Amino acid sequence: MDRPTTLAFYGLGAAAVATSVATLKKRLELSQAKHRSLSGHSRMARRLARLMPFYEYGEDRFFCCDGAPEDIAARRRAGFTRLSALYRTRFAKTIAHTAHASAAISDLRFTDAYRVPFQYRELVAAQLPSAAFAQSSDGVTITDLDGNRFYDLTGSYGVNVFGYDFYKQAIERGAARVRELGPVLGPYHPLIVENVEALKVISGLDEVSLHMSGTEAVMQAVRLARYHTGRSHLVRFCGAYHGWWGDVQPGVGNPVPAHETYTLTEMSEQSLRVLRRRRNIACVLVNPLQALHPNASPPSDSALLAGRRIPRFDRQAYGEWLRRLRQVCTERGIVLIFDEVFVGFRLGKGGAQDYFGVRADLVTYGKTLGGGLPVGVVCGKRGLMKRFRDDRPADVCFARGTFNSHPYVMATMNEFLRYLQTPQADALYRDAEHIWNERAHALNMRLAAAALPVEIINMSSIWTVCYTQPCRYNWMLQYYLRAEGLLLSWIGTGRLIFSLNYSAADFAAVAERFVAAATAMRDDGWWWDNPALTDKSIKRTVLKEMILQRLLSPRTTRPR
Ligand SMILES: Cc1ncc(COP(=O)(O)O)c(C=O)c1O
């Protein structure tokens, strides 16, 4: 080989090495920015989920899987039997309806299966069957098919901010206002203009697009970010929910991997470094609800194996994180999307942008904004909302949706947005944060005074029940709460959502029942105090059980 060729060869080699070193460095940075939990590692989580075997505790282990002695197990069994009898008599009709319907409603079959950790599922389903029907709502209560009135702690997945009566009226009044046009799609009802103007003011952004659900609004926001930046990847943060569309749900739950999603650690320096260095990032999606439990998945009782599930809510620290994120996104031309489908209009009129004092480029709203009907909305800066290019007529960012500006939805949304401008709404929002913090604090004082191992952690009217004692049965509390007339959603005590129309008297009744439920649970022996039991030891035991099960019956799969 002559000298110039040799030199060129070396040069190429050096360039290749430099490139691989740079690639490796970026890879390493990405790994460092992943949260150490399984939710931070989508691929691994999906693989492990496929390996996880089913097994259950028969009656012999159900009451003493934590090593409790016979007398404690007997107390638990007696409590369970009493609760079961109460369910079967008090909720008889509602349970019968649910059992009948669940054979053909796949959603119900799914939620029924994931109310408690799977090891307990069969016995619980048999003895404390779900009762998933209701006949009416009134004030802050919901009545089941047997005529039992429950205080509503479900908040209808966050939709119910102002109370059910408000939404009933919004639907009635709204329907009356658009009746003449009816369900005509295509031509708009003029109300849409007023809605869009109001949303522009609320979001502080220039344009609005209308969709049919929060999931679709997020899909569109991400699609717009990719279109305008010409980059492929979206960044979401560990544990954050953004609907059930594939790219925002890269882990368990999605049968195929999401190749263009990075799941990074929230409130982390390493994540900021990844945002600064990677050139393929189109947008960062933030669900501000994660401020309540950064990097953890929505707390569901089906995953409640042990005790404490979230740390304390720190508004200031999260706000500071958002400011830093904002800065990096601005520097790098990354679109910052706030997904306010849940927290928008709950934390305040101006949602998370106002609450944390940080502005996003695109904001998604949904849930309560529909005034009781389904909706999704994207608000954004003009340049980002445009779906075509003047100089490239075939280069478009397509988004439609048959029902996207349904006159009835526009009308109920209009009722909602008009209500926001009333002094009543101002009054509700003005004190909401303070009131709900005080209520959480007062309940915590009562729980502590009664030496009950339960603690509320809250972000305004969004609450999570935490357990201060490592215990394998904390999920049982949801059944005691129902027996006391408190209605929870299918994820159980992980999320209680209050509407802002709860009066002091309503809340006092809830607190009374809450303490009564926890006291009954304690008296039935579920919180047997065993100092040897720690969150770690519980998790280790469950892991051992799984490994053993896997080894004993590696091919066992349950009928689907
Ligand atoms: C933050 C967030 N984004 C998106 C969604 C999805 O909204 P929808 O259920 O209307 O599709 C939800 C739903 O809970 C949500 O909480």
Side-chain angles (χ1 to χ4, degrees):
M1 225 186 289
D2 59 11
R3 199 173 148 74
T5 317
T6 313
L7 278 178
F9 224 73
Y10 279 132
L12 274 177
V17 169
T19 311
S20 8
V21 169
T23 311
L24 266 176
K25 199 166 167 236
K26 274 196 188 169
R27 270 275 159 99
L28 188 66
E29 279 170 0
L30 188 60
S31 311
Q32 286 169 339
K34 288 188 177 177
H35 195 253
R36 59 180 190 285
S37 68
L38 261 186
S39 331
H41 294 77
S42 312
R43 266 172 215 216
M44 201 189 298
R46 282 156 36 81
R47 259 183 232 136
L48 283 176
R50 279 198 293 269
L51 288 176
M52 190 188 283
F54 178 85
Y55 62 96
E56 62 192 300
Y57 298 143
E59 280 214 40
D60 52 333
R61 286 213 63 208
F62 187 96
F63 299 102
C64 58
C65 66
D66 55 351
E70 189 42 51
D71 59 323
I72 296 292
R75 255 163 73 192
R76 290 172 177 170
R77 189 188 295 271
F80 194 73
T81 309
R82 194 189 67 245
L83 215 48
S84 174
L86 181 149
Y87 267 54
R88 290 192 178 285
T89 47
R90 197 180 290 170
F91 312 138
K93 198 167 161 193
T94 316
I95 286 174
H97 251 75
T98 310
H100 180 69
S102 78
I105 302 181
S106 59
D107 203 41
L108 199 49
R109 278 222 300 156
F110 178 79
T111 51
D112 270 2
Y114 288 90
R115 284 173 190 271
V116 300
F118 66 83
Q119 295 90 340
Y120 309 91
R121 181 192 290 172
E122 306 272 309
L123 203 58
V124 170
Q127 299 299 325
L128 302 170
S130 0
F133 281 77
Q135 57 169 314
S136 62
S137 64
D138 179 25
V140 294
T141 64
I142 291 181
T143 302
D144 72 4
L145 306 188
D146 298 87
N148 301 296
R149 272 179 96 185
F150 295 88
Y151 283 96
D152 177 45
L153 313 187
T154 73
S156 282
Y157 302 119
V159 168
N160 185 14
V161 174
F162 292 136
Y164 293 117
D165 297 326
F166 166 80
Y167 298 92
K168 284 182 194 172
Q169 275 179 19
I171 291 171
E172 260 172 44
R173 283 205 216 119
R177 287 169 69 200
V178 294
R179 189 162 291 135
E180 261 187 62
L181 179 62
V184 173
L185 301 171
Y188 291 134
H189 191 283
L191 278 180
I192 196 174
V193 178
E194 201 179 312
N195 292 348
V196 166
E197 285 310 312
L199 284 167
K200 278 167 57 184
V201 173
I202 288 163
S203 64
L205 293 161
D206 312 314
E207 268 187 46
V208 177
S209 73
L210 295 147
H211 307 275
M212 292 156 289
S213 67
T215 299
E216 281 184 62
V218 173
M219 277 170 70
Q220 173 60 357
V222 171
R223 182 176 276 198
L224 284 167
R226 284 174 165 158
Y227 176 68
H228 286 288
T229 58
R231 303 174 193 164
S232 53
H233 279 61
L234 78 87
V235 165
R236 67 182 275 274
F237 292 110
C238 179
Y241 184 67
H242 295 284
W244 59 279
W245 161 56
D247 280 18
V248 290
Q249 202 192 28
V252 176
N254 180 355
V256 293
H259 292 296
E260 281 158 344
T261 300
Y262 294 134
T263 299
L264 305 185
T265 307
E266 196 152 28
M267 305 182 84
S268 136
E269 219 36 67
Q270 278 99 333
S271 297
L272 294 180
R273 195 181 315 146
V274 168
L275 294 177
R276 278 198 197 97
R277 289 179 56 90
R278 296 228 157 206
R279 299 221 178 104
N280 58 350
I281 296 174
C283 58
V284 174
L285 257 178
V286 173
N287 177 356
L289 176 59
Q290 291 300 108
L292 187 56
H293 44 78
N295 295 306
S297 300
S300 154
D301 279 1
S302 70
L304 186 57
L305 287 175
R308 183 171 290 282
R309 46 183 161 194
I310 61 172
R312 230 145 252 297
F313 166 53
D314 186 339
R315 177 174 175 179
Q316 209 184 344
Y318 196 77
E320 188 47 39
W321 157 248
L322 292 182
R323 271 184 284 287
R324 300 194 59 207
L325 198 56
R326 172 69 276 178
Q327 195 183 345
V328 175
C329 286
T330 306
E331 282 164 20
R332 302 293 303 157
I334 296 169
V335 178
L336 180 61
I337 306 172
F338 276 10
D339 177 1
E340 299 216 30
V341 168
F342 195 109
V343 297
F345 307 103
R346 178 169 284 278
L347 296 178
K349 239 189 249 189
Q353 291 196 101
D354 277 3
Y355 187 81
F356 291 109
V358 178
R359 313 307 299 176
D361 301 309
L362 295 172
V363 180
T364 57
Y365 298 107
K367 294 199 192 259
T368 192
L369 173 62
L373 294 184
V375 81
V377 160
V378 182
C379 295
K381 293 183 173 167
R382 187 170 308 286
L384 286 172
M385 296 294 281
K386 191 163 177 185
R387 300 188 196 164
F388 60 94
R389 302 190 203 283
D390 294 330
D391 56 345
R392 295 277 186 282
D395 186 0
V396 296
C397 178
F398 189 78
R400 295 297 303 161
T402 303
F403 289 106
N404 76 20
S405 306
H406 196 291
Y408 284 77
V409 178
M410 289 305 103
T412 50
M413 185 194 286
N414 191 263
E415 292 292 323
F416 179 86
L417 291 168
R418 281 187 177 193
Y419 181 72
L420 284 190
Q421 287 159 22
T422 62
Q424 295 98 299
D426 281 338
L428 274 183
Y429 281 129
R430 194 179 313 116
D431 297 328
E433 170 98 1
H434 175 70
I435 288 176
W436 287 103
N437 286 348
E438 285 294 302
R439 287 174 181 173
H441 177 69
L443 181 53
N444 278 336
M445 298 290 279
R446 286 188 65 177
L447 291 164
L452 290 161
V454 183
E455 188 189 16
I456 302 297
I457 296 197
N458 75 305
M459 175 171 166
S460 199
S461 54
I462 308 162
W463 291 23
T464 291
V465 179
C466 288
Y467 300 88
T468 55
Q469 181 178 319
C471 168
R472 299 217 46 190
Y473 298 99
N474 286 324
W475 50 266
M476 270 299 293
L477 183 60
Q478 61 172 289
Y479 295 98
Y480 283 88
L481 291 171
R482 187 180 176 104
E484 288 294 331
L486 302 180
L487 196 66
L488 309 182
S489 77
W490 68 280
I491 68 168
T493 60
R495 182 151 297 154
L496 315 182
I497 306 168
F498 293 94
S499 48
L500 303 186
N501 62 328
Y502 259 89
S503 68
D506 293 328
F507 184 75
V510 168
E512 200 63 40
R513 290 161 187 237
F514 198 100
V515 173
T519 306
M521 176 158 160
R522 182 193 47 203
D523 293 348
D524 285 340
W526 299 101
W527 282 314
W528 167 63
D529 195 8
N530 173 5
L533 216 58
T534 61
D535 282 356
K536 235 185 193 167
S537 75
I538 292 175
K539 283 179 189 158
R540 217 179 299 130
T541 306
V542 173
L543 187 64
K544 270 192 215 153
E545 288 172 0
M546 284 181 187
I547 293 171
L548 200 65
Q549 178 67 24
R550 182 83 203 163
L551 291 175
L552 287 178
S553 50
R555 283 178 212 280
T556 310
T557 47
R558 288 178 52 79
R560 287 169 188 254

